[in-house]
């Protein structure tokens, strides 16, 4: 575990931990193992490569440096036969390496303390409360945030005033909720900056943006009662410190795989929907800004400077990556990192680390260093009788490395490029001697810019969206009724820019043809309503989906009738 480094050097150091021990690798640009560091756990100075201290904590499994590197926190897992007089939680002064505080924490998920960036404030979850400590004085609780069974909390990044988001699960028919507070204003009925409640939530993930002005909340249920998803059911909520909140409307049904803020704090990217998944960038009004279409992806990673976005399909997917210039919405490269279980941006915003680690995968362990243009600069494969457990970049403070101009030309590399193996689709014996058809299981959606489609208003609630659609449907029905009652009026010629699926109001003069045209319009109108329902997340029946598939044929038939063909 590295503390943050504020000195700019010409190379980075990667930490590697596996069955062969703990060691460090220098690079880029040159990749060599540092032979100075012994392959066992000690506190080592990266600057002068000297041993700083050794700890007699054989069972310690978690370490954490404070943001300014003044405190080291360690945690040892609690067991049923753990002596009550031995603490699981220790704080050490980095200058003297003396232990100045002992605490207890039985849960691995909530052991790690949460510091503010200047270390003025530190918080931890204790017995369904959030305890706050000031100036690293862990012997005195400066403040407490007490609600009914606080399950989780997240301290905001950045300077004062500090803010905290807390989650309280629902019980006895009451909804779950997330509230935002500003430290230390916790008392009183109006102390909360914002509040968002929801019923469908067994757990939540709360994500502050970098400027601490808003939180994204992914609310998840373990089981989808409709049976549509194996992953349960997820919804995405937006909560701002000014009190505004909204449900982020995702146009495709399915799980939410990943949500990430851009470092600018003005937009976020969500990866969602049944495979092939969609990826969309939203602004602070929760309006879609750019849609990347569909593809085999389940993760998103903004570069430290926020100007590059990587969409990737890891885990049970094949490791395909898409590297995008999000200023110009232009695709830079499409490398493939097969079997990857870990991804990390280098602090310089140019290099990428991917790794295959145990226990997620115990075969083909190793790591690769990439340039974002798709070139592999360094590759290391762990021997077949060994395992790789962890790889991480040496951290640096923000602003050490300035953003560079994006290049689209792949940088040169001495590592030969790897062509991904193309797996042929299975064909049953009866079809192997027949021509291959180009049929696809899923219709692929191309990327599209959504700025022209997004409005300037605040995000609407579900009720407001429903009322808006009803109003638009009534308006369209009135216009159609007027056209049906006025057969003598000449039709207004449509402008050249009118799309093909626009329903024409022309009358042919033949009663039979007019009747067919009217029936086709009704069918197309019903299809439009079904498409709107699908866009809001409603699960359509099989016969409704079949109706939507007939839209193209109906439009062609309508056009032929109106032209007299």
């Amino acid at each position: 575990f590295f503390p943050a480094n504020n000195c700019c050097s010409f190379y980075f150091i990667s930490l590697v931990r596996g069955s062969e021990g703990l060691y460090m690798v220098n690079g880029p640009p040159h990749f060599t193992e540092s032979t100075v560091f012994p392959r066992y756990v000690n506190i080592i100075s990266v600057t002068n490569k000297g041993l700083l201290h050794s700890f007699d904590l054989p069972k310690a499994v978690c370490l954490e440096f404070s943001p300014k590197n003044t405190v080291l926190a360690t945690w040892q897992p609690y067991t049923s036969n753990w002596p009550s007089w031995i603490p699981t939680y220790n704080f050490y002064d980095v200058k003297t390496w003396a232990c100045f505080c002992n605490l207890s924490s039985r849960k691995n998920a909530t052991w790690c303390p949460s510091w503010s960036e200047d270390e003025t404030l530190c918080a931890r979850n204790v017995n369904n409360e959030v305890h706050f400590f000031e100036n690293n004085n862990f012997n005195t609780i400066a403040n407490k945030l007490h609600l009914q069974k606080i399950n989780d909390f997240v301290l905001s990044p950045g300077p004062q005033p500090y803010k905290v988001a807390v989650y309280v699960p629902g019980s006895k028919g009451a909804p779950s909720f997330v509230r935002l507070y500003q430290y230390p204003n916790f008392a009183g009925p109006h102390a909360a900056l914002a509040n968002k409640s929801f019923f469908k939530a067994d757990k939540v993930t709360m994500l502050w943006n970098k400027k601490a002005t808003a939180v994204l909340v992914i609310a998840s249920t373990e089981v989808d009662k409709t049976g549509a998803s194996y992953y349960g059911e997820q919804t995405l909520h937006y909560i701002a410190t000014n009190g505004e909140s909204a449900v982020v409307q995702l146009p495709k049904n399915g799980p939410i795989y990943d949500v990430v803020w851009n470092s600018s704090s003005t937009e976020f990217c969500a990866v969602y929907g049944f495979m092939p998944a969609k990826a969309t960038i939203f602004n602070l009004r929760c309006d879609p800004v750019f849609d990347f279409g569909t593809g085999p992806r389940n993760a998103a990673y903004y570069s430290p400077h926020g100007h590059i976005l990587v969409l990737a399909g890891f885990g049970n997917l094949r490791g395909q990556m898409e590297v995008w210039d999000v200023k110009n919405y232009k695709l830079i490269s499409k490398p493939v990192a097969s079997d990857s279980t870990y991804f990390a941006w280098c602090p310089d915003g140019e290099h990428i680390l991917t790794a295959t680690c145990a226990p997620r995968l115990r075969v083909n362990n190793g790591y690769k260093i990439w340039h974002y243009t798709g070139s592999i600069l360094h590759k290391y494969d762990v021997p077949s009788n060994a395992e790789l457990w962890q790889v991480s970049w040496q951290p640096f403070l923000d602003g050490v490395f300035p953003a560079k101009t994006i290049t689209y030309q792949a940088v040169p590399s001495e590592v030969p490029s790897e062509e991904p193996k193309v797996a042929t689709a299975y064909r049953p014996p009866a079809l192997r001697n027949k021509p291959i058809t180009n049929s696809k299981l899923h219709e692929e959606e191309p990327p599209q810019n959504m700025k022209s489609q997004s409005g300037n208003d605040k995000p609407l609630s579900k009720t407001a969206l429903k009322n808006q659609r009803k109003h638009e449907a009534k308006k369209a029905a009135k216009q159609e009724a007027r056209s049906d009652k006025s057969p003598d009026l000449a039709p207004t010629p449509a402008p050249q820019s009118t799309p093909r699926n626009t329903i024409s109001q022309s009358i042919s003069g033949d009663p039979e043809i007019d009747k067919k045209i009217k029936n086709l319009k009704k069918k197309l109108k019903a299809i439009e309503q079904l498409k709107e329902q699908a866009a809001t997340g409603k699960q359509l029946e099989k016969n409704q989906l079949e109706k939507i598939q007939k839209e193209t044929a109906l439009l062609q038939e309508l056009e032929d009738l109106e032209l007299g063909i």
Side-chain angles (χ1 to χ4, degrees):
F1 295 84
F2 287 107
N5 193 334
N6 58 2
C7 61
C8 180
S9 58
F10 294 97
Y11 63 89
F12 297 88
I13 295 178
S14 299
L15 172 69
V16 182
R17 185 170 68 94
S19 57
E20 295 180 303
L22 179 74
Y23 58 99
M24 298 184 185
V25 177
N26 297 329
H30 304 294
F31 298 91
T32 57
E33 180 180 343
S34 178
T35 58
V36 177
F37 300 104
R39 290 197 173 199
Y40 48 87
V41 178
N42 281 315
I43 306 299
I44 305 294
S45 171
V46 177
T47 304
N48 57 27
K49 301 178 176 58
L51 175 65
L52 297 178
H53 194 75
S54 295
F55 290 97
D56 185 17
L57 296 171
K59 294 186 178 181
V61 297
C62 296
L63 307 172
E64 183 73 18
F65 280 100
S66 61
K68 298 179 69 175
N69 310 323
T70 61
V71 177
L72 172 65
T74 66
W75 183 79
Q76 303 175 79
Y78 178 86
T79 58
S80 58
N81 58 354
W82 189 268
S84 59
W85 53 271
I86 298 180
T88 60
Y89 206 165
N90 299 317
F91 290 91
Y92 296 90
D93 188 331
V94 172
K95 291 183 179 179
T96 63
W97 301 112
C99 181
F100 64 89
C101 185
N102 306 117
L103 299 172
S104 295
S105 178
R106 298 188 177 186
K107 297 181 181 180
N108 185 13
T110 59
W111 86 270
C112 187
S114 181
W115 276 282
S116 61
E117 292 182 1
D118 58 3
E119 295 189 17
T120 302
L121 192 66
C122 185
R124 61 188 293 256
N125 194 344
V126 182
N127 298 328
N128 300 319
E129 295 180 337
V130 182
H131 291 183
F132 295 88
F133 307 89
E134 295 181 352
N135 300 316
N136 288 326
N137 181 9
F138 297 97
N139 296 315
T140 303
I141 301 175
N143 269 291
K144 287 184 181 181
L145 176 53
H146 177 73
L147 293 171
Q148 292 182 352
K149 297 183 178 180
I150 294 178
N151 183 271
D152 195 10
F153 81 97
V154 180
L155 194 64
S156 67
Q160 299 185 34
Y162 310 118
K163 304 177 185 70
V164 61
V166 295
Y167 163 63
V168 176
S171 61
K172 298 180 180 179
S176 306
F177 62 85
V178 170
R179 287 180 185 169
L180 309 185
Y181 290 92
Q182 181 171 304
Y183 182 84
N185 304 324
F186 302 141
H190 304 291
L193 300 175
N195 180 83
K196 181 69 176 178
S197 59
F198 30 77
F199 280 96
K200 294 182 178 181
D202 294 329
K203 62 179 181 179
V204 303
T205 301
M206 297 176 287
L207 306 168
W208 280 100
N209 62 6
K210 193 172 182 180
K211 294 182 179 179
T213 58
V215 175
L216 291 172
V217 179
I218 306 173
S220 306
T221 59
E222 298 294 339
V223 178
D224 185 355
K225 294 182 179 180
T226 64
S229 175
Y230 169 81
Y231 300 96
E233 188 176 0
Q234 294 90 24
T235 53
L236 182 59
H237 305 266
Y238 169 87
I239 311 175
T241 54
N242 61 5
E244 295 180 353
S245 64
V247 179
V248 182
Q249 302 293 337
L250 303 177
K252 186 173 185 179
N253 292 335
I256 300 174
Y257 303 103
D258 199 8
V259 178
V260 288
W261 281 103
N262 193 325
S263 59
S264 65
S265 299
T266 59
E267 64 181 29
F268 58 92
C269 179
V271 183
Y272 58 94
F274 295 113
M275 289 295 168
K278 287 180 72 69
T280 307
I281 291 179
F282 297 86
N283 59 21
L284 294 182
R285 294 188 298 272
C286 300
D287 295 326
V289 175
F290 188 84
D291 191 322
F292 296 95
T294 56
R297 78 249 315 196
N298 55 14
Y301 307 92
Y302 275 106
S303 65
H305 303 101
H307 61 322
I308 299 176
L309 175 67
V310 175
L311 302 175
F314 294 145
N316 57 351
L317 298 178
R318 295 179 57 191
Q320 295 176 325
M321 296 188 289
E322 301 173 33
V323 184
W324 286 83
D325 173 0
V326 291
K327 299 298 181 184
N328 302 306
Y329 298 115
K330 185 176 179 182
L331 184 65
I332 301 173
S333 62
K334 294 186 67 173
V336 177
S338 302
D339 301 327
S340 294
T341 63
Y342 179 77
F343 177 101
W345 272 101
C346 181
D348 67 352
E350 285 194 89
H351 299 90
I352 293 170
L353 170 66
T354 62
T356 304
C357 301
R360 177 65 177 83
L361 286 177
R362 298 189 182 277
V363 296
N364 299 328
N365 282 189
Y367 65 90
K368 298 174 184 175
I369 307 293
W370 306 72
H371 191 267
Y372 66 79
T373 54
S375 303
I376 301 177
L377 304 181
H378 179 65
K379 176 184 177 182
Y380 177 73
D381 295 323
V382 175
S384 58
N385 60 347
E387 294 179 346
L388 179 67
W389 298 335
Q390 183 181 1
V391 186
S392 63
W393 289 106
Q394 177 187 4
F396 285 78
L397 297 178
D398 293 341
V400 173
F401 299 96
K404 296 182 179 179
T405 304
I406 294 177
T407 178
Y408 295 89
Q409 184 69 31
V411 300
S413 173
E414 298 179 357
V415 180
S417 61
E418 298 179 350
E419 294 294 333
K421 297 180 181 178
V422 179
T424 58
Y426 171 77
R427 303 196 75 204
L431 299 178
R432 289 175 184 172
N433 295 325
K434 296 183 178 180
I436 299 176
T437 60
N438 293 324
S439 60
K440 294 182 180 180
L441 293 176
H442 304 282
E443 192 68 27
E444 296 180 357
E445 297 181 21
Q448 57 178 323
N449 198 325
M450 308 291 287
K451 283 187 177 181
S452 59
Q453 302 179 24
S454 60
N456 295 323
D457 298 328
K458 296 179 180 178
L460 299 176
S461 63
K462 286 185 177 180
T463 305
L465 287 170
K466 187 176 180 180
N467 293 335
Q468 185 184 47
R469 292 191 186 95
K470 285 183 178 179
H471 177 72
E472 292 174 353
K474 288 181 180 179
K475 187 176 179 181
K478 288 181 180 179
Q479 291 177 350
E480 185 176 349
R482 287 189 193 130
S483 64
D484 292 339
K485 291 179 181 178
S486 305
D488 298 332
L489 295 178
T492 303
Q496 295 181 357
S497 60
T498 303
R500 183 184 174 187
N501 64 348
T502 301
I503 300 176
S504 174
Q505 302 293 330
S506 63
I507 302 297
S508 66
D510 188 331
E512 290 296 327
I513 294 179
D514 290 346
K515 186 176 180 180
K516 290 181 180 179
I517 291 176
K518 187 176 181 179
N519 290 333
L520 287 173
K521 289 178 180 179
K522 288 182 179 180
K523 292 180 180 179
L524 290 170
K525 183 179 178 181
I527 290 174
E528 288 296 328
Q529 293 175 347
L530 290 175
K531 289 167 67 176
E532 289 179 358
Q533 293 175 7
T536 59
K538 182 178 178 181
Q539 189 73 24
L540 300 182
E541 301 294 336
K542 183 178 179 181
N543 61 333
Q544 294 175 322
L545 295 173
E546 291 176 351
K547 287 183 180 179
I548 295 177
Q549 293 175 355
K550 296 177 181 179
E551 182 182 21
T552 304
L554 294 174
L555 286 169
Q556 183 63 51
E557 185 179 354
L558 176 63
E559 185 176 345
D560 293 344
L561 287 173
E562 291 176 338
L563 293 176
I565 299 177

